Structure formats: structure tokens, C-alpha cells
Amino acid sequence: PEGIWYVLRLTQGAAHTVQLTRIPIAGIRDATEELAVSPDGSTLAVLFQFSPVMDTAAHGMVPTRAATLRTYSLATGRVLRTWTAPVSDSSFDAFGDLSWLDDGHTLAFVYAATTTHGYVRTLNITSPGNNLVTGSRTVFSVPTGHTCDGSMLMTSDGRAVICGTFAVNSGWCTTGQLEFTAYSVATGKLERTLYQYKGGSEVATAL
């Protein structure tokens, strides 16, 4: 139930090109949605989210626990920092698309990931505090009239957001709806379409 964690390092040209090391990470027992390794390979960021349960008094599904973001040392496996979101903001899959920026101390993630109008937020892991929402800031939102409902990943330089789409068939099959697009973080505008799948798909997601 705890899971066993390893680091696999591939070093081209070295005497031993493949190195597999077990690391004693503990406490990762719950629903794990997102994993990201820092650019220098020293830190693992893990975003936990928890399935909601039916609450008849609340007339619907409610989160059982707060969404949690932790950073771990890949050398020792110990927890370095922990941030949580208020339970009211922690509906299942509200957070997603975790990534590191090149500076090595900034994490980017999507908040309200289940909506078509998600927001990319950044968190400076060296700043004080442990609230995932108030400790981060919004740096990008999908422009009105556009959808970005498959995935939203910020590039490592922090300058662009790569967007994937989710295509649901309007008949038996959709055609030409799956694509990857790039948005400028500075202007919020669509810069270009990186790729469009011309074929058909009943239900599919570009991630």
C-alpha cells in the first residue's frame, strides 16, 4: 500500500549508462494524480487528490480531504514542504497538470482543471506559508471563447501554455477536433496551432 519508489537515471556516454536507486519515500498512500521532478533532479513534487463522497445533507458529492502538494528529497526520501488547499476548493480533479519551471523553485499547476475555463497558477516553493491557493498566483487563464479542456501545461521557461483538447462526438464520430495549441502567457492570446489530428475519434483527449 505504501508503494516502492525508484529513481532511474540514464547517463549517455558513462561507464554505467543506467542507474536504478531505491528511495525511502513514505506517506504516499493516497490517490496520486500528478508527479513532477525538478530540473536538477533533486526534488519530487507530488499532488494528491481524493475522491469525493456522496453527502445527502449537502445534496451532492463533497471532497473528503483537502488537495495536498508535497515536495520530497530524491536523495533521502524525506518530505521537504507541504501545502494544502481548503476542502471547499478541493473537489476531485480541481488541480492538475503539475510542472516545474527552469528556475528550480517554481511549480506551475492548473486550478479548476475540470472546467473549460481553467487557470494556470504558479507557486514559489521558497516562499513562506502552506496554503496552496493563497500561496500561489494566477498567471494565465484561457481567453473567452476558447477551450482548453484536455490539458494545460506551462512550458519550462514560463512563457507559454500548451493546451490540449477534449473531443466528444456530436454524432458517431468527430473529425479534426483534437489539437495542441500554444498560448502566450504575457498576452494571453493564442499564438499558433502546434498540431491538429485530421482523423476521426468518438471520444478522445489530447494530453
Side-chain angles (χ1 to χ4, degrees):
E2 290 278 350
I4 299 173
W5 289 82
Y6 293 88
V7 174
L8 175 66
R9 299 185 187 278
L10 307 175
T11 307
Q12 187 173 0
H16 300 283
T17 58
V18 179
Q19 182 182 8
L20 188 66
T21 306
R22 183 172 176 174
I23 51 176
I25 290 182
I28 303 183
R29 300 185 302 270
D30 303 300
T32 302
E33 295 297 317
E34 301 285 339
L35 302 164
V37 177
S38 62
D40 65 0
S42 67
T43 307
L44 173 69
V46 182
L47 178 62
F48 304 89
Q49 298 190 86
F50 308 97
S51 299
V53 297
M54 177 62 69
D55 188 323
T56 54
H59 304 290
M61 303 295 287
V62 297
T64 56
R65 296 172 60 185
T68 301
L69 173 66
R70 289 196 187 106
T71 53
Y72 295 82
S73 166
L74 282 180
T76 66
R78 70 183 182 90
V79 176
L80 301 175
R81 292 282 304 273
T82 300
W83 297 262
T84 58
V87 174
S88 58
D89 295 326
S90 299
S91 58
F92 189 57
D93 280 343
F95 298 86
D97 298 327
L98 184 67
S99 64
W100 287 87
L101 270 60
D102 282 337
D103 59 18
H105 60 74
T106 304
L107 282 165
F109 60 88
V110 174
Y111 175 58
T114 55
T115 68
T116 57
H117 196 88
Y119 301 87
V120 177
R121 301 177 68 89
T122 57
L123 173 73
N124 185 336
I125 65 171
T126 65
S127 298
N130 56 10
N131 188 304
L132 186 56
V133 177
T134 61
S136 60
R137 64 188 184 96
T138 299
V139 295
F140 173 81
S141 61
V142 180
T144 302
H146 294 251
T147 58
C148 194
D149 47 13
S151 65
M152 288 189 354
L153 281 174
M154 179 172 284
T155 55
S156 59
D157 60 9
R159 295 181 179 179
V161 169
I162 308 301
C163 179
T165 57
F166 175 66
V168 179
N169 64 321
S170 54
W172 173 248
C173 188
T174 56
T175 303
Q177 291 191 19
L178 290 177
E179 61 184 11
F180 290 105
T181 51
Y183 289 84
S184 166
V185 171
T187 66
K189 295 181 179 180
L190 175 66
E191 289 188 322
R192 64 188 183 277
T193 297
L194 301 173
Y195 174 79
Q196 185 180 56
Y197 177 61
K198 300 296 185 180
S201 176
E202 183 177 352
V203 178
T205 304
L207 295 173

